[in-house]
Amino acid sequence: MWDTIAAIATGEGLGAVGIVRVSGTKAESLVKAIFVERNGRAAADFAPRKLYYGTVADEAGRALDHCLCTVSRAPQSYTGEDTAEFHCHGSSLVLAAVLQALFAAGARQARPGEFTERAFLNGKLDLTEAEAVIDLIRAETIEAAQNAVGQLGGAVSTRTDAVYDGIGDILAHFHAVLDYPDEDIEPFELLAYQETLAGYIRELTVLAGTFRRGQIMTRGVPTAILGRPNVGKSSLLNALLGYERAIVTDIPGTTRDTLEERVMLGGTLLRLVDTAGLRETTDPVERLGVERTVAALEEAELALVVFDGAVVLTDEDFRVIDLVREVPHCIAVISKSDLPAAIDEEVVRARIPEVVYVSAVTGAGLDDLEIAVSAHYAEASASTGQVLTNPRHVDAVSRAVVYLRSAQEAMDAGVTPDAVLTDLEGAMEALGGLTGRTVSLDVTSRIFERFCVGK
């Protein structure tokens, strides 16, 4: 770990500025080897976190770029080590050449996530904060970004650490009484902690319960667009996306497979799945598409059930209505509102109370659909970082709750304190694994493999 690493920290492609990042004990000497400050200052004289203008050159002394350089010295840096950054012009060739010059001077290529991994290992970040870095980079909605920023600031670990430390105090009290019976220590009464444990269970249960909201925030709402053939499903998908993603014809059964796209609607990220029209068919390919439609429906959190507003309801329409009964959220979308209406809205509303009229041709009603979706998922906005978005996190919190409930049940059954405290130790271990207090190197390796190079 203690060698010096380097990597390009900005994304691929052309840009106005590109950054090459260095961390390790040789960071300052590497700056000295390849960078000449315009006024002749030595790297050792650079003030921390201040930008200096100069020329970066390769091992043969050939100028590669006129750029800015900044250094941060341990422990006051992102990684906790000596670090340096070169802010160059955004040419990928220039950045690669600067990186090669650093390799020639003694650095090695950083692995994915190695800068943040060093920050964790050097105590600059706990694991939840480190994972929030990649969540922030990958955020697709402002709510997801705000939640990641909150977690980067310790919003999750602050809550779980309070429980972890509280359990630790209970264990410490027990062992102090056990190990030092002659000392003037308050007697250990297990039942005195009964309400404390109940409070911890409530706190962690609420936290674990945020995971569903977190999945919606980060991955989007799995949304099935469904209906019988030729009612306007693909036209609706195209209208929501703003471009022709799905083939639209007057021939029923054009869509033979599911198409998935993401779109922001009503401030909510939707994972839209355009499905094959639901009907009885002898065509083996279309039948396979129908089977995939049913499978997509089983995964759906939201169903946009499309009806052709220009014709009367059919048996196939009612079959679709029956299929969506188990979907948590449904909105009836009556399409082709630009044509004379023939559908009986009240019959639809009796089965799916929320009805929106739209026209994929004119765009009428799309705003109403956006409002309808927003009403279902308004709770997913304005997060402060205390929403769990990572399966590893909810698993750790849930395991801690299981241990705490087991301890509570043992306490109610009147078992000896040491048996109860075994469960409390299990809860502590689970929470410690969440933040990295008690976590294996294998787990940390898997976590940082998700990162991009240079972060």
Side-chain angles (χ1 to χ4, degrees), residues 236-299:
L236 177 63
L237 174 69
N238 291 341
L240 292 174
L241 293 175
Y243 66 93
E244 297 294 316
R245 172 64 178 88
I247 297 173
V248 176
T249 75
D250 293 332
I251 303 171
T254 302
T255 301
R256 299 298 186 93
D257 201 353
T258 54
L259 298 176
E260 182 169 334
E261 293 289 340
R262 296 189 179 203
V263 66
M264 287 292 297
L265 195 67
T268 302
L269 179 64
L270 301 184
R271 285 175 20 229
L272 290 174
V273 180
D274 181 25
T275 62
L278 288 165
R279 66 172 178 177
E280 296 295 335
T281 177
T282 58
D283 185 324
V285 177
E286 187 178 356
R287 189 166 59 245
L288 182 58
V290 171
E291 291 173 359
R292 292 188 178 183
T293 295
V294 174
L297 191 59
E298 291 174 354
E299 300 295 325

Short mmCIF file of all heavy atoms in Angstrom, two decimals, residues 236-299:
data_model
loop_
_atom_site.label_atom_id
_atom_site.label_comp_id
_atom_site.label_asym_id
_atom_site.label_seq_id
_atom_site.Cartn_x
_atom_site.Cartn_y
_atom_site.Cartn_z
N LEU A 236 -46.45 5.96 -26.50
CA LEU A 236 -46.29 6.61 -25.20
C LEU A 236 -44.83 6.60 -24.77
O LEU A 236 -44.30 7.61 -24.29
CB LEU A 236 -47.16 5.92 -24.15
CG LEU A 236 -47.03 6.45 -22.72
CD1 LEU A 236 -47.47 7.91 -22.64
CD2 LEU A 236 -47.85 5.59 -21.75
N LEU A 237 -44.16 5.45 -24.94
CA LEU A 237 -42.74 5.37 -24.59
C LEU A 237 -41.95 6.42 -25.37
O LEU A 237 -41.14 7.15 -24.79
CB LEU A 237 -42.20 3.96 -24.90
CG LEU A 237 -40.68 3.78 -24.71
CD1 LEU A 237 -40.32 3.84 -23.24
CD2 LEU A 237 -40.21 2.46 -25.32
N ASN A 238 -42.17 6.50 -26.66
CA ASN A 238 -41.44 7.46 -27.48
C ASN A 238 -41.73 8.89 -27.05
O ASN A 238 -40.82 9.74 -27.01
CB ASN A 238 -41.81 7.28 -28.96
CG ASN A 238 -41.29 5.98 -29.54
OD1 ASN A 238 -40.38 5.36 -29.01
ND2 ASN A 238 -41.88 5.54 -30.64
N ALA A 239 -42.98 9.17 -26.71
CA ALA A 239 -43.35 10.52 -26.29
C ALA A 239 -42.67 10.90 -24.98
O ALA A 239 -42.21 12.03 -24.81
CB ALA A 239 -44.87 10.63 -26.15
N LEU A 240 -42.59 9.96 -24.05
CA LEU A 240 -41.94 10.23 -22.77
C LEU A 240 -40.44 10.41 -22.93
O LEU A 240 -39.81 11.23 -22.24
CB LEU A 240 -42.23 9.10 -21.78
CG LEU A 240 -43.68 8.98 -21.31
CD1 LEU A 240 -43.88 7.73 -20.46
CD2 LEU A 240 -44.11 10.23 -20.54
N LEU A 241 -39.83 9.64 -23.84
CA LEU A 241 -38.39 9.74 -24.06
C LEU A 241 -38.02 10.95 -24.91
O LEU A 241 -36.91 11.47 -24.79
CB LEU A 241 -37.87 8.46 -24.76
CG LEU A 241 -37.93 7.17 -23.96
CD1 LEU A 241 -37.50 6.00 -24.83
CD2 LEU A 241 -37.05 7.25 -22.71
N GLY A 242 -38.94 11.36 -25.77
CA GLY A 242 -38.66 12.49 -26.64
C GLY A 242 -37.98 12.12 -27.93
O GLY A 242 -37.51 13.00 -28.66
N TYR A 243 -37.91 10.83 -28.24
CA TYR A 243 -37.35 10.38 -29.52
C TYR A 243 -37.94 9.02 -29.86
O TYR A 243 -38.54 8.35 -29.02
CB TYR A 243 -35.83 10.32 -29.48
CG TYR A 243 -35.25 9.29 -28.54
CD1 TYR A 243 -34.92 8.00 -28.98
CD2 TYR A 243 -35.03 9.59 -27.19
CE1 TYR A 243 -34.40 7.05 -28.13
CE2 TYR A 243 -34.50 8.64 -26.33
CZ TYR A 243 -34.19 7.38 -26.80
OH TYR A 243 -33.68 6.44 -25.95
N GLU A 244 -37.74 8.60 -31.12
CA GLU A 244 -38.34 7.36 -31.60
C GLU A 244 -37.50 6.16 -31.17
O GLU A 244 -36.61 5.73 -31.89
CB GLU A 244 -38.47 7.39 -33.13
CG GLU A 244 -39.39 8.49 -33.65
CD GLU A 244 -40.83 8.28 -33.23
OE1 GLU A 244 -41.31 7.14 -33.31
OE2 GLU A 244 -41.47 9.27 -32.81
N ARG A 245 -37.78 5.64 -30.00
CA ARG A 245 -37.04 4.46 -29.50
C ARG A 245 -37.69 3.17 -29.96
O ARG A 245 -37.00 2.21 -30.32
CB ARG A 245 -36.99 4.50 -27.98
CG ARG A 245 -36.41 3.25 -27.32
CD ARG A 245 -34.96 3.06 -27.70
NE ARG A 245 -34.40 1.89 -27.03
CZ ARG A 245 -34.43 0.65 -27.50
NH1 ARG A 245 -35.04 0.41 -28.66
NH2 ARG A 245 -33.88 -0.33 -26.84
N ALA A 246 -39.01 3.12 -29.96
CA ALA A 246 -39.73 1.90 -30.32
C ALA A 246 -40.39 2.06 -31.69
O ALA A 246 -40.82 3.16 -32.06
CB ALA A 246 -40.79 1.58 -29.27
N ILE A 247 -40.46 0.98 -32.44
CA ILE A 247 -41.13 0.99 -33.75
C ILE A 247 -42.64 1.09 -33.54
O ILE A 247 -43.22 0.36 -32.72
CB ILE A 247 -40.79 -0.29 -34.54
CG1 ILE A 247 -39.28 -0.34 -34.82
CG2 ILE A 247 -41.59 -0.35 -35.83
CD1 ILE A 247 -38.84 -1.65 -35.44
N VAL A 248 -43.25 2.02 -34.26
CA VAL A 248 -44.70 2.22 -34.16
C VAL A 248 -45.33 2.01 -35.53
O VAL A 248 -44.94 2.66 -36.51
CB VAL A 248 -45.03 3.63 -33.64
CG1 VAL A 248 -46.55 3.84 -33.63
CG2 VAL A 248 -44.45 3.83 -32.25
N THR A 249 -46.30 1.08 -35.62
CA THR A 249 -47.06 0.86 -36.85
C THR A 249 -48.52 0.62 -36.49
O THR A 249 -48.87 0.46 -35.31
CB THR A 249 -46.53 -0.36 -37.64
OG1 THR A 249 -46.95 -1.57 -36.99
CG2 THR A 249 -45.03 -0.34 -37.79
N ASP A 250 -49.36 0.57 -37.49
CA ASP A 250 -50.77 0.25 -37.27
C ASP A 250 -51.02 -1.25 -37.17
O ASP A 250 -52.14 -1.69 -36.94
CB ASP A 250 -51.63 0.81 -38.42
CG ASP A 250 -51.64 2.34 -38.43
OD1 ASP A 250 -51.49 2.91 -37.34
OD2 ASP A 250 -51.77 2.94 -39.52
N ILE A 251 -49.96 -2.04 -37.36
CA ILE A 251 -50.11 -3.50 -37.34
C ILE A 251 -50.03 -4.00 -35.90
O ILE A 251 -49.01 -3.78 -35.23
CB ILE A 251 -49.00 -4.18 -38.18
CG1 ILE A 251 -49.04 -3.64 -39.62
CG2 ILE A 251 -49.16 -5.69 -38.15
CD1 ILE A 251 -47.85 -4.09 -40.45
N PRO A 252 -51.05 -4.65 -35.38
CA PRO A 252 -50.99 -5.17 -34.01
C PRO A 252 -49.86 -6.18 -33.84
O PRO A 252 -49.56 -6.95 -34.76
CB PRO A 252 -52.37 -5.83 -33.82
CG PRO A 252 -53.24 -5.21 -34.85
CD PRO A 252 -52.36 -4.91 -36.01
N GLY A 253 -49.24 -6.17 -32.65
CA GLY A 253 -48.21 -7.16 -32.34
C GLY A 253 -46.83 -6.77 -32.85
O GLY A 253 -45.96 -7.63 -32.95
N THR A 254 -46.62 -5.47 -33.16
CA THR A 254 -45.30 -5.05 -33.65
C THR A 254 -44.22 -5.28 -32.60
O THR A 254 -43.13 -5.75 -32.90
CB THR A 254 -45.33 -3.55 -34.03
OG1 THR A 254 -46.33 -3.35 -35.01
CG2 THR A 254 -43.99 -3.11 -34.57
N THR A 255 -44.52 -4.96 -31.33
CA THR A 255 -43.55 -5.15 -30.26
C THR A 255 -43.53 -6.61 -29.86
O THR A 255 -44.53 -7.14 -29.36
CB THR A 255 -43.90 -4.26 -29.05
OG1 THR A 255 -43.91 -2.89 -29.46
CG2 THR A 255 -42.87 -4.44 -27.94
N ARG A 256 -42.40 -7.27 -30.09
CA ARG A 256 -42.29 -8.70 -29.79
C ARG A 256 -41.45 -8.96 -28.53
O ARG A 256 -41.39 -10.08 -28.06
CB ARG A 256 -41.63 -9.42 -30.98
CG ARG A 256 -42.42 -9.32 -32.29
CD ARG A 256 -43.79 -9.97 -32.17
NE ARG A 256 -44.50 -10.02 -33.43
CZ ARG A 256 -44.47 -11.04 -34.28
NH1 ARG A 256 -43.75 -12.10 -34.00
NH2 ARG A 256 -45.17 -11.00 -35.39
N ASP A 257 -40.78 -7.94 -28.04
CA ASP A 257 -39.92 -8.12 -26.87
C ASP A 257 -40.06 -6.89 -25.98
O ASP A 257 -40.65 -5.87 -26.38
CB ASP A 257 -38.46 -8.29 -27.33
CG ASP A 257 -37.59 -8.97 -26.27
OD1 ASP A 257 -38.09 -9.18 -25.14
OD2 ASP A 257 -36.43 -9.28 -26.57
N THR A 258 -39.53 -6.96 -24.78
CA THR A 258 -39.56 -5.80 -23.89
C THR A 258 -38.41 -4.86 -24.22
O THR A 258 -37.29 -5.30 -24.52
CB THR A 258 -39.44 -6.25 -22.42
OG1 THR A 258 -38.28 -7.06 -22.26
CG2 THR A 258 -40.66 -7.04 -21.99
N LEU A 259 -38.70 -3.56 -24.18
CA LEU A 259 -37.68 -2.52 -24.36
C LEU A 259 -37.59 -1.75 -23.06
O LEU A 259 -38.61 -1.34 -22.50
CB LEU A 259 -38.08 -1.57 -25.49
CG LEU A 259 -38.21 -2.15 -26.91
CD1 LEU A 259 -38.70 -1.05 -27.85
CD2 LEU A 259 -36.88 -2.70 -27.39
N GLU A 260 -36.37 -1.53 -22.56
CA GLU A 260 -36.21 -0.81 -21.30
C GLU A 260 -35.42 0.47 -21.52
O GLU A 260 -34.36 0.47 -22.14
CB GLU A 260 -35.52 -1.68 -20.25
CG GLU A 260 -35.39 -0.98 -18.90
CD GLU A 260 -34.95 -1.90 -17.78
OE1 GLU A 260 -35.20 -3.12 -17.87
OE2 GLU A 260 -34.35 -1.40 -16.81
N GLU A 261 -35.93 1.57 -21.00
CA GLU A 261 -35.27 2.87 -21.05
C GLU A 261 -35.52 3.59 -19.73
O GLU A 261 -36.49 3.31 -19.02
CB GLU A 261 -35.80 3.73 -22.20
CG GLU A 261 -35.45 3.21 -23.58
CD GLU A 261 -33.97 3.34 -23.91
OE1 GLU A 261 -33.29 4.17 -23.25
OE2 GLU A 261 -33.50 2.64 -24.82
N ARG A 262 -34.65 4.55 -19.42
CA ARG A 262 -34.83 5.34 -18.22
C ARG A 262 -35.26 6.75 -18.60
O ARG A 262 -34.78 7.31 -19.57
CB ARG A 262 -33.52 5.40 -17.41
CG ARG A 262 -33.08 4.04 -16.90
CD ARG A 262 -31.93 4.18 -15.95
NE ARG A 262 -31.51 2.89 -15.44
CZ ARG A 262 -30.86 2.70 -14.30
NH1 ARG A 262 -30.53 3.74 -13.57
NH2 ARG A 262 -30.52 1.50 -13.91
N VAL A 263 -36.14 7.32 -17.78
CA VAL A 263 -36.61 8.68 -18.04
C VAL A 263 -37.00 9.32 -16.71
O VAL A 263 -37.48 8.65 -15.79
CB VAL A 263 -37.82 8.67 -19.01
CG1 VAL A 263 -39.02 8.00 -18.38
CG2 VAL A 263 -38.16 10.08 -19.47
N MET A 264 -36.74 10.63 -16.59
CA MET A 264 -37.19 11.38 -15.42
C MET A 264 -38.60 11.86 -15.67
O MET A 264 -38.88 12.50 -16.68
CB MET A 264 -36.27 12.58 -15.17
CG MET A 264 -34.90 12.21 -14.63
SD MET A 264 -34.96 11.55 -12.94
CE MET A 264 -35.60 12.95 -12.06
N LEU A 265 -39.50 11.56 -14.75
CA LEU A 265 -40.89 11.99 -14.88
C LEU A 265 -41.40 12.39 -13.50
O LEU A 265 -41.35 11.60 -12.56
CB LEU A 265 -41.75 10.85 -15.45
CG LEU A 265 -43.13 11.26 -15.98
CD1 LEU A 265 -42.99 12.14 -17.22
CD2 LEU A 265 -43.96 10.03 -16.31
N GLY A 266 -41.85 13.63 -13.39
CA GLY A 266 -42.33 14.10 -12.10
C GLY A 266 -41.27 14.09 -11.04
O GLY A 266 -41.56 13.88 -9.86
N GLY A 267 -40.01 14.31 -11.43
CA GLY A 267 -38.91 14.30 -10.48
C GLY A 267 -38.50 12.91 -10.03
O GLY A 267 -37.67 12.77 -9.13
N THR A 268 -39.07 11.88 -10.64
CA THR A 268 -38.77 10.49 -10.28
C THR A 268 -38.15 9.78 -11.47
O THR A 268 -38.62 9.93 -12.60
CB THR A 268 -40.06 9.76 -9.85
OG1 THR A 268 -40.64 10.44 -8.75
CG2 THR A 268 -39.76 8.32 -9.45
N LEU A 269 -37.09 9.04 -11.21
CA LEU A 269 -36.46 8.25 -12.27
C LEU A 269 -37.27 6.98 -12.48
O LEU A 269 -37.48 6.19 -11.55
CB LEU A 269 -35.02 7.89 -11.87
CG LEU A 269 -34.23 7.04 -12.87
CD1 LEU A 269 -34.02 7.80 -14.18
CD2 LEU A 269 -32.89 6.63 -12.27
N LEU A 270 -37.77 6.78 -13.70
CA LEU A 270 -38.53 5.58 -14.04
C LEU A 270 -37.70 4.68 -14.94
O LEU A 270 -37.05 5.15 -15.87
CB LEU A 270 -39.82 5.94 -14.78
CG LEU A 270 -40.83 6.86 -14.08
CD1 LEU A 270 -42.08 7.01 -14.93
CD2 LEU A 270 -41.18 6.35 -12.70
N ARG A 271 -37.72 3.38 -14.66
CA ARG A 271 -37.16 2.38 -15.57
C ARG A 271 -38.32 1.84 -16.39
O ARG A 271 -38.99 0.89 -16.00
CB ARG A 271 -36.47 1.27 -14.78
CG ARG A 271 -35.14 1.71 -14.21
CD ARG A 271 -34.44 0.70 -13.32
NE ARG A 271 -34.83 -0.66 -13.47
CZ ARG A 271 -35.14 -1.45 -12.45
NH1 ARG A 271 -35.14 -0.97 -11.22
NH2 ARG A 271 -35.45 -2.71 -12.64
N LEU A 272 -38.58 2.50 -17.51
CA LEU A 272 -39.73 2.17 -18.34
C LEU A 272 -39.48 0.89 -19.14
O LEU A 272 -38.45 0.76 -19.79
CB LEU A 272 -40.02 3.31 -19.30
CG LEU A 272 -40.58 4.61 -18.73
CD1 LEU A 272 -40.67 5.66 -19.83
CD2 LEU A 272 -41.95 4.39 -18.11
N VAL A 273 -40.43 -0.01 -19.09
CA VAL A 273 -40.37 -1.22 -19.89
C VAL A 273 -41.58 -1.24 -20.81
O VAL A 273 -42.73 -1.34 -20.35
CB VAL A 273 -40.36 -2.49 -19.01
CG1 VAL A 273 -40.30 -3.74 -19.89
CG2 VAL A 273 -39.17 -2.47 -18.05
N ASP A 274 -41.33 -1.06 -22.11
CA ASP A 274 -42.40 -1.18 -23.11
C ASP A 274 -42.57 -2.66 -23.42
O ASP A 274 -41.62 -3.36 -23.79
CB ASP A 274 -42.02 -0.41 -24.37
CG ASP A 274 -43.11 -0.47 -25.44
OD1 ASP A 274 -44.28 -0.66 -25.07
OD2 ASP A 274 -42.78 -0.33 -26.62
N THR A 275 -43.77 -3.16 -23.24
CA THR A 275 -44.01 -4.60 -23.32
C THR A 275 -44.80 -4.97 -24.56
O THR A 275 -45.45 -4.13 -25.19
CB THR A 275 -44.78 -5.09 -22.08
OG1 THR A 275 -46.06 -4.45 -22.06
CG2 THR A 275 -44.02 -4.75 -20.80
N ALA A 276 -44.74 -6.24 -24.90
CA ALA A 276 -45.56 -6.77 -25.99
C ALA A 276 -47.03 -6.70 -25.61
O ALA A 276 -47.40 -6.85 -24.44
CB ALA A 276 -45.16 -8.21 -26.30
N GLY A 277 -47.89 -6.47 -26.60
CA GLY A 277 -49.32 -6.40 -26.36
C GLY A 277 -49.86 -7.72 -25.82
O GLY A 277 -49.49 -8.80 -26.29
N LEU A 278 -50.72 -7.61 -24.80
CA LEU A 278 -51.26 -8.81 -24.16
C LEU A 278 -52.50 -9.30 -24.91
O LEU A 278 -53.53 -8.60 -24.96
CB LEU A 278 -51.60 -8.50 -22.71
CG LEU A 278 -50.40 -8.32 -21.77
CD1 LEU A 278 -50.81 -7.67 -20.47
CD2 LEU A 278 -49.72 -9.66 -21.51
N ARG A 279 -52.37 -10.46 -25.51
CA ARG A 279 -53.51 -11.09 -26.18
C ARG A 279 -53.20 -12.56 -26.41
O ARG A 279 -52.03 -12.98 -26.34
CB ARG A 279 -53.80 -10.42 -27.52
CG ARG A 279 -52.70 -10.59 -28.56
CD ARG A 279 -53.12 -10.06 -29.92
NE ARG A 279 -52.07 -10.19 -30.92
CZ ARG A 279 -52.23 -9.85 -32.19
NH1 ARG A 279 -53.41 -9.40 -32.62
NH2 ARG A 279 -51.23 -9.98 -33.05
N GLU A 280 -54.22 -13.34 -26.70
CA GLU A 280 -54.03 -14.74 -27.08
C GLU A 280 -53.47 -14.76 -28.51
O GLU A 280 -53.97 -14.06 -29.39
CB GLU A 280 -55.34 -15.50 -27.02
CG GLU A 280 -55.94 -15.61 -25.62
CD GLU A 280 -55.07 -16.43 -24.68
OE1 GLU A 280 -54.30 -17.29 -25.19
OE2 GLU A 280 -55.14 -16.23 -23.46
N THR A 281 -52.44 -15.56 -28.73
CA THR A 281 -51.82 -15.61 -30.06
C THR A 281 -51.24 -16.99 -30.32
O THR A 281 -50.82 -17.68 -29.38
CB THR A 281 -50.71 -14.55 -30.19
OG1 THR A 281 -50.08 -14.66 -31.47
CG2 THR A 281 -49.65 -14.71 -29.11
N THR A 282 -51.22 -17.37 -31.59
CA THR A 282 -50.58 -18.63 -31.98
C THR A 282 -49.18 -18.41 -32.51
O THR A 282 -48.46 -19.38 -32.76
CB THR A 282 -51.44 -19.33 -33.06
OG1 THR A 282 -51.58 -18.45 -34.18
CG2 THR A 282 -52.81 -19.69 -32.51
N ASP A 283 -48.80 -17.17 -32.71
CA ASP A 283 -47.45 -16.84 -33.19
C ASP A 283 -46.46 -17.14 -32.06
O ASP A 283 -46.53 -16.53 -30.99
CB ASP A 283 -47.40 -15.36 -33.58
CG ASP A 283 -46.05 -14.98 -34.20
OD1 ASP A 283 -45.01 -15.50 -33.75
OD2 ASP A 283 -46.04 -14.14 -35.12
N PRO A 284 -45.50 -18.08 -32.27
CA PRO A 284 -44.60 -18.45 -31.17
C PRO A 284 -43.72 -17.30 -30.71
O PRO A 284 -43.39 -17.20 -29.52
CB PRO A 284 -43.76 -19.59 -31.78
CG PRO A 284 -43.89 -19.44 -33.26
CD PRO A 284 -45.24 -18.86 -33.49
N VAL A 285 -43.31 -16.41 -31.63
CA VAL A 285 -42.47 -15.28 -31.24
C VAL A 285 -43.27 -14.28 -30.42
O VAL A 285 -42.82 -13.80 -29.37
CB VAL A 285 -41.86 -14.60 -32.48
CG1 VAL A 285 -41.03 -13.38 -32.07
CG2 VAL A 285 -41.00 -15.58 -33.26
N GLU A 286 -44.48 -13.97 -30.89
CA GLU A 286 -45.31 -13.03 -30.14
C GLU A 286 -45.70 -13.62 -28.78
O GLU A 286 -45.75 -12.90 -27.78
CB GLU A 286 -46.57 -12.69 -30.94
CG GLU A 286 -47.40 -11.58 -30.30
CD GLU A 286 -48.62 -11.21 -31.11
OE1 GLU A 286 -48.80 -11.75 -32.22
OE2 GLU A 286 -49.41 -10.38 -30.61
N ARG A 287 -45.93 -14.94 -28.74
CA ARG A 287 -46.28 -15.58 -27.47
C ARG A 287 -45.14 -15.45 -26.46
O ARG A 287 -45.36 -15.23 -25.26
CB ARG A 287 -46.65 -17.05 -27.70
CG ARG A 287 -47.22 -17.72 -26.44
CD ARG A 287 -47.90 -19.04 -26.76
NE ARG A 287 -47.00 -20.00 -27.38
CZ ARG A 287 -47.13 -20.45 -28.62
NH1 ARG A 287 -48.14 -20.03 -29.38
NH2 ARG A 287 -46.27 -21.34 -29.12
N LEU A 288 -43.91 -15.59 -26.96
CA LEU A 288 -42.75 -15.42 -26.09
C LEU A 288 -42.70 -13.98 -25.55
O LEU A 288 -42.38 -13.76 -24.38
CB LEU A 288 -41.47 -15.75 -26.85
CG LEU A 288 -40.15 -15.66 -26.06
CD1 LEU A 288 -40.17 -16.58 -24.84
CD2 LEU A 288 -38.96 -15.98 -26.96
N GLY A 289 -43.03 -13.00 -26.42
CA GLY A 289 -43.07 -11.62 -25.98
C GLY A 289 -44.11 -11.40 -24.90
O GLY A 289 -43.87 -10.65 -23.94
N VAL A 290 -45.27 -12.04 -25.04
CA VAL A 290 -46.32 -11.93 -24.03
C VAL A 290 -45.84 -12.51 -22.70
O VAL A 290 -46.10 -11.95 -21.62
CB VAL A 290 -47.61 -12.63 -24.51
CG1 VAL A 290 -48.63 -12.72 -23.37
CG2 VAL A 290 -48.20 -11.89 -25.70
N GLU A 291 -45.14 -13.64 -22.75
CA GLU A 291 -44.61 -14.25 -21.52
C GLU A 291 -43.63 -13.30 -20.83
O GLU A 291 -43.60 -13.18 -19.60
CB GLU A 291 -43.93 -15.57 -21.86
CG GLU A 291 -44.90 -16.67 -22.29
CD GLU A 291 -44.19 -17.92 -22.78
OE1 GLU A 291 -42.93 -17.92 -22.80
OE2 GLU A 291 -44.87 -18.89 -23.16
N ARG A 292 -42.82 -12.60 -21.62
CA ARG A 292 -41.87 -11.65 -21.04
C ARG A 292 -42.60 -10.44 -20.47
O ARG A 292 -42.15 -9.85 -19.47
CB ARG A 292 -40.85 -11.22 -22.09
CG ARG A 292 -39.93 -12.35 -22.50
CD ARG A 292 -38.79 -11.87 -23.40
NE ARG A 292 -37.89 -12.97 -23.73
CZ ARG A 292 -36.78 -12.82 -24.44
NH1 ARG A 292 -36.44 -11.63 -24.91
NH2 ARG A 292 -36.01 -13.87 -24.70
N THR A 293 -43.71 -10.09 -21.06
CA THR A 293 -44.53 -9.01 -20.52
C THR A 293 -45.03 -9.37 -19.12
O THR A 293 -44.96 -8.56 -18.19
CB THR A 293 -45.73 -8.72 -21.44
OG1 THR A 293 -45.25 -8.23 -22.69
CG2 THR A 293 -46.68 -7.71 -20.82
N VAL A 294 -45.53 -10.59 -18.98
CA VAL A 294 -46.03 -11.04 -17.68
C VAL A 294 -44.89 -11.07 -16.66
O VAL A 294 -45.08 -10.66 -15.50
CB VAL A 294 -46.69 -12.43 -17.81
CG1 VAL A 294 -47.07 -12.97 -16.44
CG2 VAL A 294 -47.91 -12.36 -18.73
N ALA A 295 -43.71 -11.49 -17.08
CA ALA A 295 -42.55 -11.51 -16.17
C ALA A 295 -42.17 -10.10 -15.75
O ALA A 295 -41.84 -9.85 -14.58
CB ALA A 295 -41.37 -12.21 -16.86
N ALA A 296 -42.20 -9.15 -16.70
CA ALA A 296 -41.89 -7.76 -16.37
C ALA A 296 -42.90 -7.18 -15.39
O ALA A 296 -42.56 -6.39 -14.50
CB ALA A 296 -41.85 -6.91 -17.65
N LEU A 297 -44.13 -7.60 -15.54
CA LEU A 297 -45.19 -7.12 -14.66
C LEU A 297 -44.97 -7.58 -13.22
O LEU A 297 -45.27 -6.85 -12.27
CB LEU A 297 -46.54 -7.61 -15.19
CG LEU A 297 -47.79 -7.00 -14.57
CD1 LEU A 297 -47.80 -5.49 -14.76
CD2 LEU A 297 -49.03 -7.61 -15.21
N GLU A 298 -44.43 -8.76 -13.05
CA GLU A 298 -44.17 -9.28 -11.71
C GLU A 298 -43.12 -8.46 -10.98
O GLU A 298 -43.11 -8.39 -9.75
CB GLU A 298 -43.72 -10.75 -11.80
CG GLU A 298 -44.84 -11.69 -12.25
CD GLU A 298 -44.34 -13.12 -12.46
OE1 GLU A 298 -43.10 -13.31 -12.35
OE2 GLU A 298 -45.16 -14.00 -12.72
N GLU A 299 -42.21 -7.83 -11.74
CA GLU A 299 -41.14 -7.01 -11.14
C GLU A 299 -41.55 -5.55 -11.00
O GLU A 299 -40.84 -4.76 -10.38
CB GLU A 299 -39.89 -7.09 -12.01
CG GLU A 299 -39.32 -8.48 -12.18
CD GLU A 299 -38.82 -9.06 -10.88
OE1 GLU A 299 -38.30 -8.28 -10.05
OE2 GLU A 299 -38.96 -10.29 -10.68
#
